[in-house]
Every structure is written in structure tokens, then in C-alpha cells.
Amino acid sequence: MEQKTLIKLVVGSEAIFFLALLMAFVYFTYVPVLNPRVASSLDLNRTSLFTVMLLSSSVTFWRAEVSFRRGRTKQLRLWLLCTVVLGVVFLVGQGSEYSSLLSRQLTVSKGTFTTSFFTLTGFHGLHVLIGIVVLSIVLYLTFLGDLDDPDSALLPSVGIYWHFVDVVWAVVFVIVYVLPHFLTGHTP
Amino acid sequence: MTLLLYYWSFDLVSAGLLLTLSLLYGSISGWRWQSGWRLYVAGLFLLTLVQFSPLHRLGMNCSMSAHMISHMLLLLVIAPLLVLGLPRQRVGRAGILMNRMSAFFQCAPWLGWLIGLGTMWFWHIPAVYAASVAHAGAGIVPICTLAGPSTDWRVNLVHLAHPISLMLGGICFVWPVLGPQPERRIFPLTGVLYLFTACVGCSLLGMLITFAPAGSFHAYAVDQSYYAMLSMLPAGWQLDPSVDQQMAGLLMWVPGCLVYLTGALWLFMTWLTSELEVDKVAPVHLR
Amino acid sequence: MITDVEIPEPLAPLPGATVNTNQGLLQWISSVDHKQIGIMYLLMTLFYLLVGGLLALLMRVQLMVPTNTFLAPDSYNQLFTMHGTTMIFFVLTPAILGLAVYMVPLQIGANEMAFPRLNAFSFWISFFGGFLLYFSFLAGGAPDAGWFSYAPLNQTQYSASPGIDYYCIGLLLSGIGTVGTAANLVVTIITLRTPSMHYRYLPVFVWMVLIDAFLILAAFPSLNAALVMLLVDRQLDGHFFNTDAGGSALLWQHLFWLFGHPEVYIVVLPPFGVLSEVFQVYSRKPIFGYPFVVGSGIAISLLAFGVWVHHMFATGMGNTVNSFFAVSSMLIGIPTGVKVFNWLGTMYGGSIRFTTGMLFATAFLVEFTIGGLSGISFAIVPIDWQLTDTYYVVAHLHYVFLGGSLFGLFAGFFYWVPKISGRLYSETLGKWFFWLFVIGFNLTFFVQHILGIIGMPRRVYTYPNLAGYSSLNLISSLGAFLMGVSMLLFLYLLYDTLKRGKRAGDNPWDGYTFEWLASSPPQLKNFTLLPPVYSFRPLHDLNHPKIGDYQKPDEEKYGTKDVD
């Protein structure tokens, strides 16, 4: 109960942090007119693939929670491992996207679009990384057998954080990748 | 000003809506006035004003801020008034439906929040907004129409969906906080949080509209009826489109938010000053 | 005697409490006890108060006479920036957190915070954030763009020294600590209250801390985001606020004031809570209109997010925007006014004891009202345009921060020092300190209103010898030195209290809330048994069963009905 309340408060606070970064991005790329370079320089298809990976990690985590409540430690380990792997795959995807952007000289200092893009997605990536570290610790604890009390609030608390990170990405994905793609697609 | 006051409009669907709402009250209350009926009637009265008064015409034809005022009245004033005015003793099938609705929102109050905020945001996507106001070729609207400002039924449909969906969205939004079954409302302190977060969402939208580049929302067809409407305005009102858009955004941002905050405060104060059941249960032992 | 209930906390040893108490400094460093952390917060506050005060004195020396050359322009810039940053982020904010961390568990009848380790972590990260900020002096120059670091002044082309980088990192760290403590306080208040302490019976101070913690959680992320963006700008050559490369200076102002305005209420709400305790105990009456005191606190916190644009009237956002925010800024004066009347109502007809704490509380009413009124004058847009960036602003903000927050904190300090130290302070010394400080404060800042009106700009290292400037500045500087002297007296008072003070009993003021039930100073385990709570003055009910609140109907209990 206490842990969950705490993590909810922290997540709420973090949401405002991301909202501020997101508003900066929107301000720089959508105003006064949508920056056409956004859609052309970002690869929607590949990122969609990695987005699906990250979002499905929420599902695997949910399965992990279910197996935890039922006391099935082996399944719990498996689902947790899946979650961690999916998270890592997402980060690798983000890294490869960054390197392709950088190889095209689209660095942080290129312009306001790249500055706000790298800050927003970079901080999200950092949160994913933190989530992966925490999940790995939880996974390690399951192997130690420290996680067999089904009333423990540890897993649900971590879950709130992990789902939050995924939701943030869903919003970021829509605003950074999907919307510009469609808006520039429709206007000649 | 005097000229503007003649511009009342009338459409059958809004009239039908008002009639439906009145009949609904009757069927729930078992055709008796119950305490709080004044609030319900006030809600209906405001709804009449929003749909028929010159405000409506102004919002349809030339002023985004007038449009915003009617929008906020629907979502933030009329909806809570209607919900608060619902009869305490409910009979019939509609009454059972109300109780089901309370039970539903007791389980998922966040859904009410999402519906309310979602409706609000949806109608301010520039394209959607543009579809909901009058269009070129609408011409001078006759005194009595079936539905809306255009001869195209699709445009009229959007035009009608706008107030109805806003009102329903508002009703869903306030239900968890002010619903007719007090025992199924959410805990008042959670209610404060509920309204505050809604205020944040509303401010954010207001901010976007205020600071969006001038013209993002200017969907009015600049034609005869537009200028005709403008010429009706009193001399001091400079309805420059960019100022108009800013004012609309600010109306949502500042007074709109104040409504939420007043609600939050009212919720808190009534809770804090209401009688405490614990006192009556636990006796004090003196030695 | 009201029947006792066992208090709910687990009796297992608290984490960290196993460290041997004889280990001196190590025991403080490793402590996770909320009382020790609270004291460390307060000591940190005192340290930075002295440092920040010293910076201010240096500035007042420079401004004592016209065209003075005591300080170079760039060092003056660094001084006022560091003074403002220190006082707001490393004095007022940790002071309220310190008091809250110390008093909240005691007042709600808990033995610890909900997360003792998080509590220690939050404190230490704030502490080192301050050190990092001050390290900038050694690393090539302190930040010099003012405490709000306006863009594009905060960019590398205008401020090449690494000062602003240290400003970002220092404030980020302390911001993370502040958010951590705030979340911790919320969880503590929600989950660890003694079972019968219903929300309606929370002491006003706890209420204000609860509201305040939510404010912190909502306001600080926006500062953190702004700081992160600034760091990206400066370290990675980004363009958020770099106006030469398409960045936006207004974005910084919006993000900063979205934090900055609530921050004003963050540092003033807990002092409001402190004052509510002080007024009722020293007036021997329950607080007048409890629901209104709490409700206006909530109103303030909710409105706080809707008025930040009034800091930006001079940026040219147009009359439409300005007039809306002028109105909303005036509105926020209403709940504050309600509170002032509640406190006056509490004093009215009470048998008042003018101890030093009560003196500070009474002086608060006067000074804060002055600060509030000068604040309202800024809501009038033309006046704001005329007075922006003059000494009128300086006077206003000092009346709010010192006359509001700091006076409240001093009232709280004198009220609670017998509990924290276990000893009574010397009332004579206390009164000397009070009068010196109040006179010094008013001398320093009242004349600055006039200086601002006759046009002296703030943040300029010197001024020409114009009519009125020299004499008023001299008065202001003399007042500042008087405050400096009074602070020395305060240090002596502290020493005197700890060394020679008489033992305070558990309840020297006949207080109303549970902290006075614990021993003075409280032991590691605050309580073992607590009486049930039937009003917001549980200890008063326990000690005076004949006139206790528990037998009154709610409206009398809350002071919403005339009780003569």
C-alpha cells in the first residue's frame, strides 16, 4: 500500500516532467507550421516495430504479475525475463535510430527539432533503462527466492512504473512519429 | 448590442432535446417536483439560452470566443446542474438505469474523467472544430430550421453532435463526483484530485489555443453572413480573429479552470463541515 | 483520562537505528531517524541563511553610497544570483521540509516517516546539491543570470563561466531530493496517522504540509525539465532557449514561472500551518474557522498554477492575455485574506501570551499584509509595467519571503525549540532578537518600495547620485546591518539555549497536538501509547477533560459558530 502510493505520486510527478518536454517539442516542431523535416528524417516503420516491442513488454509484465499472484515462480521468471529482453530490444532499436540520425549529421545542435527530439526521447530512453535495471534486480530476487510472498507490493509497484514508461512512449510515439507523418502525407 | 439581441435562432432538434430532458426528469421522479428541481430547471434554461440565443449565432458565424463560452457552459455548468438536479427518489426504468450508471462510475471513475476530457479535446482538433461551425454557402439561416445552419445534412449532423456530446460528456465527467447516489460518489479528497487533474488538462488545451499561431482555428467562412454578423456587434468590440482566438483559449484556460477549482473547493468544504459519523459511534470514556 | 490505544507502528527496530548511539558524527550521517534528519535540515538551513545573508550584506555595502567601487559589476551579478538562489532553494525550501519531517510524524502520532531511508537520501542529495552550487565559486565563477536565470542570458554566449551549469545540476539534485521528501510526507500522512485521527482532525500544520507536498510534486518537475533543457543547451549545444538559433526565451520563462509561482506558495503554506498552531496555543483558543483555514490553503494551492503568467506581463503577450491573468492574480489574494482574518479571529478574545514565537506571528500579520498588498498592485498591468525590475519588486518579494515565510518559520522555531532541544530559550534574548530583526527588516526593505517607485532598477551594481537615491540606499544598508547584528544575537541565543537553557517539560506551552505528548526531546521511539482523537486538539482534550473539544458539537469544535 505504502509503496504503491509512493510510486503513484512519483509517477504523477514524472508525468508533468514529460509533459513539459513534450510541450517544448510540440512548440518547436508544430508551430507555426509543422516542420516537414520531422516526417522525412524519422523512420516510422522501424520505430513502429520497436514500439510494438515496448508495448508488448507491458503485456508480458502483466502476465508476470498474474503468475506472481498465483505463486508460479517459474512462469514469473520467464515473463520477467521476456519483459527485460523486450525492453533491451527497444533500447537497442532506439540506439540504432540515434546512430543513423547522427550519421546523417542530425545532431542535438542541428536545430530546435533535433534538440527537442533528442531530449524528449533520450529522457524516455533513460527511464526505460532505469526500468530495465529495476526489473533485472527483481528478476535476480526471484532467483534468490525472495519473492514468494504473494502479498508483497514490490512487483505491483514496479509495474506501475513500467506501465507508465510504456504509456509515455505511446504518447511520444503518436506525437513525434505518427502525427507528423500523416499531416505531411495529406498536405501536398 | 440592441441589434444583436434580435438574433435568436430556433431549431427543432434542440427543442426535441429539451423536451426529452424534461420528460426524462418526469419519468425518473414519478412526475413530482423533488428537492433540487430548481437546479435542473436552471440547467434546462441555460441549455435553451446556449442553443437559441444570439450567443449561438455569434459562435456559429463569427466568434470563436462566443463558441467557447457556449462550449464551457455545456460542459462545465449545464451538465453539473442537470446531474445535481436529478431527483433523490427515482422510480421506473430510467431510475434503475441511473443507479446502474452510478455503480459503473463507482468502479471506474477514471472513465468519466477520460470521457469528459476526451470530448473537450476532441472538439478542439482544428479540423473537427472547423467542421462544427457554419460553412460557406450556408447563407442567411431561416428563422426555423430542422437542425442546423446548412443545407448539407452531414454538416448539420456534426453541428448537432457538438452540443449533445459535450453535454453528455460533461454529465459522465461529473457523475463520479456529484452523482445522484452520494454513497457511490468517490471519496471527496480523491474528488479534489480528480477535478484538479481535469483542470490541468483543460488549462493545457486552453494554453495550446491561446498560443497557437493566429489562424489555426479560424474556420469561419469570410462571407456575407460573417460580415453581417460583425456589423451587428457594438462599436467597442474589435473582433480581430487573432484576438478572438486568444480570448477563446484564455476563456477555457482561466475561467474554465476556475469552475473546476470552485468545484474542488466546494467538494472539500462540504466534506469537512459535514457531520462525522465516527463521533456518533464512538462514545467518550471519562473517568 | 481518555482510554488509550496502542499505536500501530511495528515495534521491530527501525532501519539504521541499530547504529551505536555513541558514535557521534557517524551516527548523524548514518541516521534515518526523522527527528535527526529534521534537525540536519534545519542546521543546513541555518548555515545557508548565514551564507546567503553574508552575500546580501556585501551587496548592501556596495550600494551604501552612489558610484561605489567596492564590488566589480560581474561579482555583483554573481552575488545577487547566489543570494536569491540560496535563500529560495537552500534556506526556505529545506527549512519547511525540515520542520515538516520533524513535526509531521509527531503530530499525527507516528514513530517514523513512511520511508526512512528515502528520507535520508532526499536530505543528503539536497545537501550536496547546495555544495555543488557553491563549488561554482571555485570552478571559475558563480552563476550570474539572476535566480530565475532568464534566457538568453543563461546561454553560453552571455554567461561563459560554468556557473550556470552548476546552478542546473545543483538545483536538479536538490529538486529531486525535495520531490522525494514531498512524496514521502504525503505517504506518511495518508498511511501512518494514528487510527482515530480522521482527516478532519489533522492539525492545521499537517494539513498545510500535505497540501504543500502535492504542490511540490506538481511544481518541481517543470523546473527540473527547464533545468535539463538548459543543461542540454549549454553542454550539448542545443537550441531550446538560444534565440539566435530559433530557440525561445519565453519557453524558459513559462516553464520557470510555472514552477516559480507555486514555489512562492510552497514556501509560505507550511509557515501558514505553523502560525495556525502558534496562534491557537498562545491565544488559548482553538483556531477560528478550521475548515476555512484548511479550505483556503487548498484554494491557494489550486489557484497557484493558474496565475504564473503575471510574472510575464512585461514580455508583450498582448492585452487579452494580460487582462485574464490580472484578474486571476487578484483572485488569489482572497483565500490569503481569509486566512489573515482567521488568525485575527483566533487572537480575538483569547488570553494571549506574547512569547517570542507569538511576537513573530503577530509581526507576520503586519508584514505579510504589506507584502500581499504590494503583490496585488502588480496584478494591475500598467503598474506592473512601470515597476517591473525595480526595487519595488525587491521590496515586495522580501516582504513575502521574509515577512511571510521566514517570520512564520521563526515563530515555529521559537514555538518548537523547547521540544527539539529539550530546553527553554531565554525570553529576554528572544525579544531583543525579535525587535532588532523586525526593525532592521523594515528599515531595509520598506524604503526600497520608494526607491522602486522613483525608478531605481534592481540588479544593477551601482547607481548615480540622484535625489533621494543616496539617503534611501544608506538607510536600507544600515537596516541590513541591523539584521546582520540580530542574526549574531540569534546564534548566541541558540548557543545559550543549548548550554544554559532551563529544562523544558514535555509540554511547556500547554500545547494542543501530539508532539507535546512525547518527551522533550523525543526519544528514538516517539510514542508507545496514544489517546484516541476526537477533535483537532487531542492533547488539550486529554489534559483538560472538563473543557475538552471532544464533547462539543462539530460547529463549535471547528469555530464555525460563535462560542461566547
Side-chain angles (χ1 to χ4, degrees):
Chain A
M1 163 67 188
E2 287 163 22
Q3 282 95 325
K4 276 168 86 173
T5 318
L6 182 79
I7 207 78
K8 277 180 198 162
L9 291 170
V10 171
V11 157
S13 193
E14 289 270 31
I16 298 175
F17 176 82
F18 277 109
L19 212 57
L21 294 184
L22 206 62
M23 290 299 267
F25 179 85
V26 168
Y27 179 74
F28 284 127
T29 47
Y30 282 81
V31 177
V33 285
L34 179 66
N35 182 350
R37 208 194 295 156
V38 179
S40 63
S41 49
L42 298 176
D43 186 352
L44 177 65
N45 293 332
R46 212 174 53 162
T47 314
S48 309
L49 187 69
F50 291 117
T51 304
V52 171
M53 297 277 185
L54 189 65
L55 295 187
S56 57
S57 81
S58 258
V59 179
T60 55
F61 190 91
W62 167 64
R63 290 313 305 168
E65 269 187 274
V66 170
S67 1
F68 169 68
R69 276 200 298 273
R70 292 181 186 155
R72 294 181 187 156
T73 320
K74 272 189 185 151
Q75 282 183 15
L76 167 65
R77 283 177 202 156
L78 195 68
W79 285 120
L80 271 181
L81 193 66
C82 285
T83 315
V84 172
V85 169
L86 284 171
V88 171
V89 169
F90 173 79
L91 275 191
V92 170
Q94 201 174 24
S96 74
E97 185 189 20
Y98 275 18
S99 72
S100 81
L101 283 176
L102 293 176
S103 68
R104 282 183 282 152
Q105 305 300 321
L106 286 169
T107 57
V108 177
S109 58
K110 183 81 177 175
T112 47
F113 156 59
T114 49
T115 305
S116 50
F117 169 79
F118 277 112
T119 312
L120 177 61
T121 53
F123 266 92
H124 178 263
L126 182 69
H127 280 75
V128 175
L129 185 67
I130 294 170
I132 290 173
V133 171
V134 173
L135 283 172
S136 314
I137 294 172
V138 174
L139 187 62
Y140 179 64
L141 287 179
T142 59
F143 279 105
L144 288 186
D146 284 3
L147 217 67
D148 40 16
D149 173 17
D151 291 331
S152 156
L154 176 64
L155 213 57
S157 318
V158 176
I160 292 171
Y161 175 80
W162 189 250
H163 295 314
F164 163 72
V165 170
D166 285 1
V167 168
V168 169
W169 182 254
V171 176
V172 168
F173 180 65
V174 168
I175 287 177
V176 177
Y177 293 88
V178 180
L179 269 184
H181 187 79
F182 282 103
L183 290 178
T184 37
H186 282 289
T187 48
Chain B
M1 195 66 188
T2 44
L3 271 177
L4 192 62
L5 283 181
Y6 295 128
Y7 268 72
W8 289 70
S9 57
F10 183 78
D11 67 83
L12 291 177
V13 175
S14 301
L17 178 69
L18 280 167
L19 197 65
T20 317
L21 284 173
S22 316
L23 291 178
L24 193 71
Y25 185 91
S27 79
I28 300 171
S29 64
W31 308 100
R32 285 182 300 114
W33 293 120
Q34 295 192 10
S35 69
W37 65 272
R38 284 183 185 83
L39 293 174
Y40 198 85
V41 170
L44 288 184
F45 177 68
L46 274 176
L47 184 61
T48 317
L49 282 187
V50 165
Q51 285 305 85
F52 299 151
S53 78
L55 186 73
H56 184 76
R57 289 293 296 276
L58 213 53
M60 273 304 119
N61 285 313
C62 69
S63 164
M64 185 176 179
S65 27
H67 190 263
M68 183 65 83
I69 292 175
S70 50
H71 171 152
M72 290 200 327
L73 281 176
L74 283 166
L75 193 68
L76 294 179
V77 182
I78 294 171
L81 280 176
L82 291 181
V83 173
L84 273 177
L86 283 175
R88 291 274 160 267
Q89 287 152 353
R90 290 167 295 274
V91 295
R93 204 174 289 162
I96 295 170
L97 194 74
M98 304 263 117
N99 294 353
R100 283 222 187 111
M101 201 156 144
S102 296
F104 174 72
F105 280 120
Q106 187 187 17
C107 297
W110 55 271
L111 211 62
W113 191 95
L114 219 58
I115 293 173
L117 269 271
T119 324
M120 183 197 293
W121 276 72
F122 174 75
W123 286 109
H124 290 95
I125 299 169
V128 178
Y129 171 76
S132 71
V133 296
H135 288 276
I140 303 297
V141 185
I143 296 285
C144 178
T145 56
L146 178 66
S150 175
T151 43
D152 183 357
W153 65 272
R154 275 172 306 182
V155 175
N156 278 342
L157 202 65
V158 175
H159 172 72
L160 284 174
H162 177 248
I164 296 178
S165 69
L166 276 174
M167 198 183 65
L168 289 181
I171 288 175
C172 289
F173 175 80
V174 294
W175 204 280
V177 185
L178 302 173
Q181 281 180 306
E183 68 278 8
R184 282 190 164 153
R185 292 177 190 168
I186 51 178
F187 183 57
L189 284 187
T190 324
V192 172
L193 214 60
Y194 180 91
L195 290 176
F196 176 70
T197 45
C199 160
V200 173
C202 167
S203 305
L204 213 60
L205 182 58
M207 233 184 291
L208 280 177
I209 296 173
T210 311
F211 294 123
S216 312
F217 286 92
H218 195 63
Y220 298 108
V222 184
D223 58 10
Q224 227 178 355
S225 61
Y226 177 75
Y227 287 114
M229 207 69 207
L230 274 191
S231 66
M232 299 298 154
L233 294 179
W237 294 15
Q238 299 156 345
L239 214 62
D240 180 54
S242 66
V243 173
D244 189 38
Q245 182 192 325
Q246 261 195 345
M247 199 144 90
L250 284 162
L251 276 169
M252 167 166 267
W253 186 356
V254 183
C257 227
L258 273 182
V259 176
Y260 286 112
L261 300 188
T262 315
L265 214 59
W266 176 81
L267 209 61
F268 180 78
M269 290 301 276
T270 43
W271 168 70
L272 199 68
T273 46
S274 64
E275 281 290 315
L276 192 58
E277 301 81 20
V278 186
D279 275 349
K280 294 166 200 151
V281 193
V284 176
H285 301 291
L286 276 177
R287 231 188 0 210
Chain C
M1 187 72 177
I2 302 170
T3 45
D4 286 350
V5 290
E6 190 89 23
I7 72 152
E9 270 63 55
L11 299 179
L14 300 164
T18 46
V19 174
N20 186 348
T21 42
N22 298 327
Q23 283 174 330
L25 197 61
L26 180 66
Q27 192 240 334
W28 282 86
I29 292 173
S30 64
S31 172
V32 293
D33 176 40
H34 75 98
K35 296 177 289 292
Q36 282 182 312
I37 290 171
I39 290 172
M40 286 194 287
Y41 259 123
L42 293 177
L43 288 177
M44 168 183 163
T45 302
L46 184 63
F47 170 72
Y48 282 117
L49 181 65
L50 296 175
V51 175
L54 211 60
L55 298 179
L57 281 184
L58 287 175
M59 286 194 285
R60 279 326 308 181
V61 171
Q62 162 69 14
L63 293 176
M64 196 142 45
V65 287
T67 58
N68 198 355
T69 51
F70 174 70
L71 288 173
D74 56 336
S75 24
Y76 186 81
N77 288 352
Q78 296 180 11
L79 285 190
F80 72 68
T81 303
M82 287 300 277
H83 168 73
T85 314
T86 309
M87 286 304 192
I88 286 164
F89 293 100
F90 297 101
V91 175
L92 290 177
T93 314
I96 58 153
L97 293 180
L99 272 188
V101 161
Y102 195 105
M103 284 303 161
V104 162
L106 281 165
Q107 287 200 328
I108 62 175
N111 276 338
E112 241 315 335
M113 296 282 283
F115 299 96
R117 281 177 222 262
L118 174 64
N119 199 13
F121 169 77
S122 304
F123 165 72
W124 286 107
I125 200 169
S126 300
F127 182 75
F128 286 119
F131 270 31
L132 210 56
L133 179 66
Y134 270 86
F135 184 70
S136 62
F137 274 116
L138 302 177
D144 52 2
W147 81 276
F148 43 57
S149 255
Y150 271 173
L153 271 186
N154 56 17
Q155 298 288 306
T156 34
Q157 64 263 45
Y158 299 103
S159 175
S161 75
I164 297 199
D165 301 304
Y166 283 98
Y167 167 91
C168 292
I169 304 172
L171 293 196
L172 261 178
L173 287 185
S174 84
I176 292 170
T178 307
V179 169
T181 309
N184 202 346
L185 282 167
V186 172
V187 180
T188 307
I189 295 171
I190 291 179
T191 57
L192 292 187
R193 282 166 294 131
T194 173
S196 53
M197 188 173 275
H198 193 271
Y199 279 114
R200 276 173 258 206
Y201 298 151
L202 278 188
V204 182
F205 178 68
V206 179
W207 258 122
M208 291 301 140
V209 169
L210 181 63
I211 296 166
D212 199 60
F214 274 109
L215 261 181
I216 289 176
L217 286 173
F220 267 76
S222 127
L223 173 73
N224 289 348
L227 292 171
V228 159
M229 291 182 199
L230 182 55
L231 212 55
V232 169
D233 268 13
R234 291 181 61 92
Q235 292 294 329
L236 301 175
D237 196 16
H239 303 302
F240 280 113
F241 310 120
N242 187 348
T243 43
D244 297 340
S248 164
L250 270 189
L251 180 67
W252 169 268
Q253 289 204 23
H254 275 298
L255 286 175
F256 191 89
W257 288 120
L258 179 54
F259 150 79
H261 197 80
E263 168 73 2
V264 177
Y265 298 102
I266 287 172
V267 297
V268 89
L269 277 177
F272 282 175
V274 170
L275 288 162
S276 307
E277 303 289 326
V278 168
F279 276 121
Q280 47 177 344
V281 169
Y282 289 135
S283 302
R284 309 310 308 152
K285 277 175 69 187
I287 188 93
F288 173 72
Y290 176 92
F292 289 91
V293 178
V294 180
S296 58
I298 289 194
I300 288 172
S301 71
L302 296 179
L303 280 171
F305 288 100
V307 296
W308 85 84
V309 181
H310 71 213
H311 291 268
M312 299 162 63
F313 281 158
T315 57
M317 284 178 302
N319 284 337
T320 329
V321 178
N322 287 356
S323 33
F324 271 88
F325 283 95
V327 174
S328 73
S329 307
M330 288 185 195
L331 280 181
I332 203 165
I334 296 173
T336 321
V338 167
K339 273 195 184 340
V340 170
F341 282 110
N342 280 119
W343 293 320
L344 286 175
T346 311
M347 286 171 82
Y348 178 77
S351 42
I352 301 175
R353 281 177 290 170
F354 277 110
T355 59
T356 312
M358 187 63 174
L359 283 175
F360 267 109
T362 317
F364 161 91
L365 286 179
V366 179
E367 314 293 2
F368 188 71
T369 306
I370 296 176
L373 289 177
S374 60
I376 289 289
S377 68
F378 284 119
I380 303 159
V381 181
I383 294 185
D384 181 89
W385 284 345
Q386 170 69 21
L387 295 175
T388 285
D389 271 339
T390 65
Y391 265 81
Y392 193 84
V393 179
V394 178
H396 159 67
L397 75 91
H398 281 93
Y399 266 90
V400 175
F401 280 135
L402 263 94
S405 290
L406 195 66
F407 275 37
L409 288 168
F410 271 134
F413 171 81
F414 285 104
Y415 175 59
W416 277 317
V417 76
K419 177 55 61 183
I420 296 174
S421 67
R423 288 166 190 278
L424 291 172
Y425 61 92
S426 152
E427 216 43 88
T428 330
L429 278 177
K431 279 179 184 152
W432 269 99
F433 167 63
F434 168 77
W435 285 110
L436 283 180
F437 192 81
V438 169
I439 293 170
F441 166 72
N442 282 297
L443 272 184
T444 315
F445 295 111
F446 197 81
V447 293
Q448 291 186 357
H449 287 114
I450 306 165
L451 273 174
I453 290 171
I454 62 176
M456 181 165 163
R458 71 195 279 209
R459 294 183 170 167
V460 177
Y461 76 107
T462 190
Y463 53 92
N465 193 2
L466 295 175
Y469 276 34
S470 323
S471 50
L472 290 175
N473 271 303
L474 187 64
I475 294 174
S476 185
S477 293
L478 289 180
F481 278 104
L482 199 57
M483 279 165 83
V485 171
S486 73
M487 280 315 292
L488 291 181
L489 189 66
F490 178 75
L491 289 182
Y492 176 70
L493 182 147
L494 205 59
Y495 170 81
D496 181 69
T497 307
L498 295 177
K499 276 289 166 205
R500 287 193 284 276
K502 276 186 288 185
R503 287 270 171 206
D506 288 351
N507 193 359
W509 312 122
D510 196 5
Y512 296 159
T513 36
F514 277 148
E515 78 269 29
W516 301 107
L517 189 65
S519 61
S520 299
Q523 296 306 299
L524 184 62
K525 190 172 186 304
N526 296 337
F527 309 103
T528 38
L529 285 176
L530 278 179
V533 184
Y534 290 109
S535 75
F536 63 89
R537 298 197 294 171
L539 195 62
H540 184 261
D541 292 352
L542 181 73
N543 290 341
H544 308 278
K546 290 223 175 79
I547 54 166
D549 291 337
Y550 60 90
Q551 44 193 352
K552 295 179 188 165
D554 264 357
E555 50 183 8
E556 278 180 39
K557 208 185 274 184
Y558 286 131
T560 38
K561 188 187 155 200
D562 201 7
V563 203
D564 287 307

